[in-house]
Amino acid sequence: MFLFNPIMLFAILVVIVLVLFIAVIIVIGIVKKKKMYFNVEQTLKKYVVNDLFSLKVVRNSCYDYILDIKNAIYYIKVIPHFSNDEICVNNRIKWQIRNGSFDDSVRMVDGIEPLMNMPMNEDNKNKKMKKLYIVYPSARVLLKYINECEMEFIYPDTDVYGANIVNYSQLLSEENIIK
């Protein structure tokens, strides 16, 4: 007959609680990401007003959506950013997440490089090809380095190395961000 001593029982309970805790964290992350893509997709569908316009869900390494509207084709990448810290564009492919202007930690935004490096074929003479990053749900501030000691705020129409960056909250409140 196999009997559990109290220490072994406690260890088993701790392991079970840890496994459950990790499982809950993973499930919450998956649910947040699904909700993020659902919300962005519903917002982008507002721009598809007739049969000539389209929204294609792609979700590859470069971009998540292709929005084809009246005079432009947007390649859209959604950047999950639930901490609401500021995002500072250091250069074309290095975007840093900072808690404030004196934050020295080096936390970078993942997934920027493939779309930034993607060549834009201008085959379609009637429509502009554009790259758009949507920060979901929001960044407290979007900044871009001009040189070593100057920064500027990023607005939806600011050219950031051939792309535009917009907060999802701005996309909800301002109808004319995507033109």
Side-chain angles (χ1 to χ4, degrees):
M1 187 158 113
F2 184 69
L3 295 174
F4 289 105
N5 63 19
I7 294 174
M8 183 178 257
L9 185 59
F10 179 73
I12 291 171
L13 285 174
V14 167
V15 168
I16 290 171
V17 168
L18 282 173
V19 168
L20 287 175
F21 180 73
I22 292 170
V24 166
I25 295 296
I26 290 171
V27 167
I28 288 173
I30 291 170
V31 167
K32 267 186 167 180
K33 214 165 195 180
K34 283 186 182 250
K35 181 180 177 187
M36 173 187 74
Y37 284 117
F38 176 79
N39 289 343
V40 169
E41 195 170 322
Q42 294 306 310
T43 303
L44 291 174
K45 282 182 181 177
K46 292 189 305 189
Y47 294 97
V48 181
V49 292
N50 62 35
D51 292 340
L52 300 175
F53 299 177
S54 68
L55 175 66
K56 210 180 292 182
V57 179
V58 180
R59 300 231 178 83
N60 64 23
S61 64
C62 288
Y63 47 87
D64 300 315
Y65 301 98
I66 299 173
L67 180 62
D68 187 348
I69 58 173
K70 184 178 180 181
N71 55 0
I73 298 173
Y74 286 89
Y75 293 88
I76 301 170
K77 179 74 175 174
V78 181
I79 306 297
H81 186 66
F82 296 101
S83 66
N84 197 33
D85 290 335
E86 68 182 38
I87 294 179
C88 181
V89 177
N90 295 347
N91 61 41
R92 210 165 121 285
I93 58 172
K94 298 292 183 192
W95 299 6
Q96 185 176 3
I97 300 170
R98 300 185 328 172
N99 203 7
S101 58
F102 297 107
D103 184 4
D104 291 334
S105 64
V106 180
R107 296 178 295 148
M108 305 308 274
V109 177
D110 294 327
I112 300 302
E113 193 171 349
L115 181 58
M116 285 303 257
N117 288 337
M118 185 180 88
M120 299 301 280
N121 296 333
E122 296 291 335
D123 293 339
N124 193 337
K125 304 293 182 209
N126 299 333
K127 295 186 179 187
K128 292 181 182 178
M129 311 290 265
K130 297 183 177 188
K131 300 174 186 177
L132 177 66
Y133 290 90
I134 299 175
V135 179
Y136 184 92
S138 180
R140 186 175 66 246
V141 177
L142 294 169
L143 298 167
K144 175 185 170 187
Y145 271 104
I146 303 301
N147 56 41
E148 291 176 359
C149 49
E150 273 187 274
M151 299 172 93
E152 71 177 2
F153 289 104
I154 296 174
Y155 299 101
D157 59 346
T158 304
D159 179 53
V160 182
Y161 303 103
N164 296 92
I165 307 170
V166 64
N167 283 319
Y168 176 71
S169 57
Q170 288 176 302
L171 196 60
L172 284 176
S173 63
E174 300 174 34
E175 297 267 333
N176 60 351
I177 286 181
I178 297 178
K179 302 171 188 170

